């Protein structure tokens, strides 16, 4: 490409990685696309789509933006969907339709960030590179350009800290197993689920490097963890002059110590950390750090000076790098912001759609920020999001006078559960003018299964008006299921921190299920339809649990044994239906989660240890103090085949048996140590299906009939 007068030459980038991703995403149609690199020295990322049938040309400013252009074409011209998860590619014609007139789109914001710090723990700590690769491809297809890379982040710590008085064995005990490493990186805990092996760390680091390289190849930014002072116990005793602040408790865990960033030892350790990180992962221009996340102790540390020292250490290692900090609870504090160059800071706002009366410019003093959403906590399988809030606030906040909004931040704690929410949120950054929510869902319904269908449109209109139109004020997530709650006649939720009641009319999901069952038979073969049908039937059943439990309580309190038995029988029947319907789709299988964990072990003891890590995060979460005192049991509840039968249904049956025994004998119900019950399950190594079975349409029809 020729440079404009007075500007530096602009080098065209290699479109090869984008072409490789396109061939993975569209193996049967990739040859009908021509990808043309058009790098630009200034201005927003841009793509242009044009061309006749069977010969589509996409021009883009990066490899990822080329894929975003392909994604736009698939949605708006071809009328198909590659979702996270599910697609309707089987409906595509052999020859792709032409573009009526060339279309150009430019990104409305420079930062399109993805992945919560907890994603690796709640979405799959034992995923393969190929699984991560697929997710990067999907994020590029939907316009994301910055992705947090956490896999293998423990390895630079392990390597660097051996220079500061720690043995390899001590560090392998201190570093937690993969399922809990997210919270170790957040300085919340250490050691749980270990020890880890050096081989595991090396292999995870190799996966992380491949993810980072894939992102670089597409012109995306691999966002790497930065160093802000986490150290093992005894650091000051082993390093003369080091100043360390104990961090106290986090949800029943002793937090790792914090090395004062203003002390000389911090600069030395930070330099060693970044050198090891470079050797393993290469460089980046963006790093994630959240000092004092969810509490912590400042001691005598000057937070302003500490923040400046953290940024200075980063810039010594990576000059000019951007520091990304999570906007959560009271963070980042005014003290932290006062100590840094805020032009090199980006706040990822995790509360944008949760509360009202937010003024981010006033709160953060004009620091650049990205409007974010955490519509999923713990990887819950619940449907819904505050989508109308996203639409209203993104446009209003971006266009307001002196706006500091510079991006979007896709931050569900667990990904891969809510394809409509992913599609809509990422569209915010590319669609000119405010999105019309009703029209957007109508178009989504048309492409989701490959062509317009009246029943699909009716189903998604019900879902739009119900779970996808929840309001801000207190919650950003819909309620979870009582089937997965620890048993109690007054249980308001499964996860302690989840909504305590319905956030939308329950009937909207039941009606959506009825409509989905009527989608044209020729459109029912796609993975998108199967996932949506299973997910909607699952949610309709989950909502039924909130109707049944109060009736069971009333029957028990009235000492009506016959009615109590009938209603608890209905509850058990619902759980059996729940287990069967979730067993129909590969995205709802406990067996896959467990087999992935075991695959990383080299012997029986190691495989069992990783399976415990994977099971515990779903159930007890941590030790007894964490589960009970920290209220984290069932925080990551989800309705999966295998988990429903082996833990949730068995737990409820044990409880109902104790109540029935009390009704029969007149004695008080026996007390049950639920933590011991759940810990016993977490220690199991029973095997579960890794392939779906059953006909989703038949089973969903049975559920719909039972709910009428």
């Amino acid at each position: 490409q020729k440079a404009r007068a007075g500007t530096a030459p602009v080098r065209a980038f290699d479109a090869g990685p984008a072409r490789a991703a396109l061939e993975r995403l569209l193996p049967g149609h990739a040859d009908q696309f021509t990808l043309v690199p058009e790098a630009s020295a200034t201005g927003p990322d841009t793509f242009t789509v044009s061309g006749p049938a069977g010969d589509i040309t996409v021009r883009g400013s990066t490899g990822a933006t080329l894929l975003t252009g392909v994604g736009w074409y698939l949605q708006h011209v071809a009328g198909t969907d590659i979702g996270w998860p599910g697609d309707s590619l089987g409906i595509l014609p052999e020859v792709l339709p032409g573009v009526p007139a060339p279309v150009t789109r430019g990104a409305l914001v420079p930062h399109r960030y993805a992945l919560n710090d907890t994603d690796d723990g709640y979405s799959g700590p034992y995923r393969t590179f190929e699984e991560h690769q697929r997710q990067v491809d999907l994020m590029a297809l939907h316009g994301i350009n910055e992705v947090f890379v956490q896999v293998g982040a423990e390895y630079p710590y392990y390597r660097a800290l051996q220079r500061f008085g720690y043995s390899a064995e001590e560090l392998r005990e201190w570093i937690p197993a993969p399922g809990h490493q997210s919270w170790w990186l957040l300085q919340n805990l250490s050691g749980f689920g270990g020890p880890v092996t050096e081989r595991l760390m090396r292999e995870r680091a190799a996966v992380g490097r491949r993810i980072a390289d894939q992102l670089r190849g597409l012109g995306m930014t691999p966002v790497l963890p930065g160093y802000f002072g986490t150290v093992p116990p005894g650091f000051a005793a082993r390093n003369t002059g080091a100043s360390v602040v104990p961090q106290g408790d986090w949800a029943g865990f002793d937090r790792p110590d914090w090395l004062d960033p203003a002390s000389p030892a911090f600069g030395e350790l930070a330099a060693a950390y970044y050198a090891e990180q470079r050797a393993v992962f290469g460089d980046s221009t963006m790093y994630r750090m959240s000092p004092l996340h969810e509490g912590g102790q400042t001691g005598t540390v000057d937070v302003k000076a500490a923040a400046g020292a953290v940024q200075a250490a980063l810039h010594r290692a990576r000059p000019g790098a951007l520091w990304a900090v999570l906007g959560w609870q009271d963070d980042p504090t005014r003290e932290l912001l006062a100590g840094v160059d805020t032009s090199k800071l980006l706040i990822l706002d995790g509360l944008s759609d949760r509360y009202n009366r937010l003024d981010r410019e006033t709160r953060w003093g004009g620091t650049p920020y990205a409007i974010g959403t955490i519509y999923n906590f713990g990887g819950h399988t619940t449907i819904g999001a505050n989508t109308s809030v996203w639409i209203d606030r993104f446009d209003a906040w971006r266009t307001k006078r002196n706006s500091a909004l510079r991006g979007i931040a896709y931050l569900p704690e667990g990904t891969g559960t809510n394809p409509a929410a992913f599609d809509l949120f990422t569209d915010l950054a590319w669609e000119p003018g405010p999105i019309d929510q009703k029209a957007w869902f109508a178009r989504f319904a048309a492409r989701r299964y490959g062509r317009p269908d009246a029943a699909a449109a009716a189903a998604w209109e019900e879902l739009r008006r119900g779970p996808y139109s929840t309001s801000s004020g207190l919650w950003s997530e819909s309620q979870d299921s009582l089937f997965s709650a620890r048993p109690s006649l007054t249980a308001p939720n499964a996860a302690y921190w989840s909504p305590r009641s319905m956030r939308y009319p329950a009937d909207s999901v039941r009606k959506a299920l009825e409509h989905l069952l009527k989608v044209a038979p020729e459109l029912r073969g796609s993975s998108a339809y199967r996932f949506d049908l299973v997910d909607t039937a699952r949610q309709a059943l989950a909502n039924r649990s909130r109707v049944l439990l109060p009736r069971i309580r009333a029957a028990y309190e009235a000492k009506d044994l016959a009615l109590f038995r009938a209603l608890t029988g209905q509850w058990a029947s619902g759980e059996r239906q729940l287990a069967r319907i979730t067993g129909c789709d590969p995205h709802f299988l406990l067996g896959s989660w467990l087999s992935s964990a075991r695959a990383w072990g080299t012997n029986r003891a190691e495989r069992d240890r990783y399976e415990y890590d994977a099971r515990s995060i779903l159930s007890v979460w941590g030790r007894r103090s964490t589960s009970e005192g920290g209220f984290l049991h069932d925080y990551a509840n989800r309705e999966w085949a295998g988990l429903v039968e082996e833990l949730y249904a068995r737990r409820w049956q044990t409880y109902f048996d104790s109540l029935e025994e009390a009704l029969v004998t007149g004695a008080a119900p026996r007390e049950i140590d639920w933590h011991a019950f759940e810990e016993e399950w977490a220690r199991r190594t029973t095997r579960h299906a890794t392939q779906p079975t059953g006909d989703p349409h038949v089973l969903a029809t049975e559920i719909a009939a039972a709910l009428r």
Side-chain angles (χ1 to χ4, degrees), residues 434-499:
I435 290 173
D436 181 316
Q437 188 216 34
K438 183 174 182 179
W440 188 93
F441 272 92
R443 291 193 298 270
F444 178 79
R447 70 172 184 264
R448 182 66 174 155
Y449 312 129
R451 74 166 194 229
D453 179 271
W460 279 99
E461 176 61 8
E462 290 288 350
L463 293 173
R464 178 193 74 83
R465 295 195 308 164
Y468 288 100
S469 286
T470 47
S471 61
S472 58
L474 188 60
W475 304 105
S476 56
E477 182 190 42
S478 293
Q479 73 290 333
D480 53 16
S481 170
L482 299 187
F483 283 132
S484 51
R486 181 179 280 185
S488 166
L489 292 178
T490 58
N493 45 25
Y496 178 83
W497 309 100
S498 291

Side-chain angles (χ1 to χ4, degrees), residues 42-58:
T42 60
D45 284 333
T46 304
F47 65 78
T48 298
V49 182
S50 62
D55 188 14
I56 312 304
T57 297
V58 181

Side-chain angles (χ1 to χ4, degrees), residues 159-224:
R159 298 273 297 177
L161 283 164
Q162 289 182 59
R163 304 184 210 167
F164 290 81
Y166 293 90
S167 69
E169 291 76 17
E170 287 176 306
L171 294 170
R172 289 200 295 270
E173 289 282 352
W174 179 63
I175 295 169
H180 290 77
Q181 279 186 17
S182 296
W183 297 271
W184 171 70
L185 288 171
L186 287 166
Q187 206 179 63
N188 294 151
L189 59 82
S190 61
F192 188 82
V196 294
T197 66
E198 185 165 340
R199 178 201 57 80
L200 176 72
M201 288 188 283
R202 282 200 312 268
E203 291 183 0
R204 280 172 51 81
V207 170
R209 175 63 188 246
R210 293 179 71 187
I211 296 168
D213 285 345
Q214 181 192 2
L215 291 164
R216 293 185 189 100
L218 291 170
M220 302 166 79
T221 301
V223 182
L224 302 177

Side-chain angles (χ1 to χ4, degrees), residues 16-35 67 70 74 137 141:
R19 166 60 60 183
L22 179 59
E23 290 172 354
R24 290 190 295 268
L25 291 163
L26 285 170
H29 295 83
D31 61 351
Q32 297 182 45
F33 288 88
T34 299
L35 304 181
L67 293 175
V70 172
L74 293 173
D137 289 347
L141 197 71

Side-chain angles (χ1 to χ4, degrees), residues 259-461:
L259 175 61
D260 182 354
S263 67
F266 176 88
E268 296 170 12
L269 179 50
Y273 169 87
Y274 285 119
E276 293 292 351
Q277 187 184 64
R278 170 180 281 137
V280 178
F281 295 98
D283 283 344
S284 184
T285 57
M286 191 171 184
Y287 292 79
R288 262 290 293 121
M289 293 179 280
S290 284
L292 304 171
H293 174 76
E294 293 190 350
Q297 306 295 322
T298 58
T300 59
V301 171
D302 180 333
V303 172
K304 178 180 175 180
V310 169
Q311 189 175 55
L314 171 63
H315 286 173
R316 280 194 297 272
R318 310 288 185 269
L322 192 65
W323 174 358
V325 60
L326 183 64
W328 179 249
Q329 296 182 352
D330 295 328
D331 294 331
T333 63
R334 287 181 172 85
E335 291 82 1
L336 183 146
L337 294 176
V340 301
D341 175 359
T342 56
S343 72
K344 298 297 183 182
L345 197 75
L346 180 69
I347 300 172
L348 311 170
D349 186 6
L351 300 172
S352 300
D353 62 340
R354 183 161 182 165
Y355 299 123
N356 296 326
R357 296 179 293 280
L358 299 173
D359 184 338
R360 289 347 214 160
E361 284 72 21
T362 298
R363 173 70 177 81
W364 293 322
T367 303
Y369 74 97
I371 187 170
T373 180
I374 307 178
Y375 63 77
N376 173 292
F377 286 80
H380 300 159
T381 43
T382 191
I383 290 174
N386 299 349
T387 66
S388 58
V389 179
W390 302 346
I391 293 168
D392 293 344
R393 291 187 182 173
F394 177 74
D395 186 65
W397 292 5
R398 185 178 65 87
T399 59
K400 69 185 288 190
R401 188 169 179 268
N402 297 322
S403 173
L405 193 156
R406 298 291 183 270
I408 62 170
Y410 180 69
L411 300 171
E413 286 195 341
T415 49
T417 64
N418 223 327
F422 173 62
D423 277 20
L424 196 158
F425 188 77
T426 51
D427 273 0
L428 292 175
W430 293 92
E431 289 302 312
I435 290 173
D436 181 316
Q437 188 216 34
K438 183 174 182 179
W440 188 93
F441 272 92
R443 291 193 298 270
F444 178 79
R447 70 172 184 264
R448 182 66 174 155
Y449 312 129
R451 74 166 194 229
D453 179 271
W460 279 99
E461 176 61 8

Side-chain angles (χ1 to χ4, degrees), residues 473-664:
L474 188 60
W475 304 105
S476 56
E477 182 190 42
S478 293
Q479 73 290 333
D480 53 16
S481 170
L482 299 187
F483 283 132
S484 51
R486 181 179 280 185
S488 166
L489 292 178
T490 58
N493 45 25
Y496 178 83
W497 309 100
S498 291
R500 301 174 70 84
S501 60
M502 290 288 300
R503 296 196 63 221
Y504 55 83
D507 214 35
S508 60
V509 178
R510 187 193 63 79
K511 290 177 181 176
L513 175 59
E514 296 276 7
H515 290 305
L516 280 178
L517 288 167
K518 297 173 184 174
V519 165
E522 60 270 25
L523 302 182
R524 298 176 190 168
S526 71
S527 60
Y529 177 77
R530 181 191 61 212
F531 176 86
D532 292 350
L533 183 64
V534 168
D535 203 24
T536 305
R538 178 209 54 73
Q539 188 65 56
L541 270 173
N543 292 345
R544 178 69 170 172
S545 69
R546 292 181 175 272
V547 175
L548 266 179
L549 190 59
R551 294 178 182 173
I552 293 171
R553 177 188 178 186
Y556 178 77
E557 291 177 345
K559 302 187 186 303
D560 188 333
L561 181 60
L563 182 58
F564 179 82
R565 284 173 170 167
L567 290 171
T568 56
Q570 290 180 34
W571 184 278
S573 176
E575 288 175 313
R576 288 191 294 272
Q577 287 184 311
L578 189 60
R580 288 196 296 271
I581 193 68
T582 53
C584 287
D585 186 271
H587 299 93
F588 296 90
L589 302 179
L590 174 66
S592 298
W593 178 267
L594 300 181
S595 64
S596 293
R598 295 190 70 83
W600 285 77
T602 57
N603 55 55
R604 175 67 180 270
E606 199 178 341
R607 288 190 287 270
D608 289 352
R609 194 160 67 245
Y610 299 154
E611 178 167 356
Y612 173 72
D613 179 45
R615 282 179 179 253
S616 62
I617 198 75
L618 302 181
S619 52
V620 293
W621 209 100
R623 55 179 67 101
R624 184 180 286 271
S625 59
T626 308
S627 179
E628 309 307 298
F631 303 107
L632 287 184
H633 68 82
D634 298 301
Y635 182 92
N637 74 85
R638 57 207 50 194
E639 291 172 311
W640 282 353
L643 187 58
V644 171
E645 309 96 296
E646 193 176 59
L647 177 58
Y648 301 151
R650 195 168 59 89
R651 191 165 59 176
W652 275 106
Q653 190 60 55
T654 299
Y655 179 65
F656 288 146
D657 286 348
S658 74
L659 296 185
E660 182 171 329
E661 179 183 320
L663 286 177
V664 170

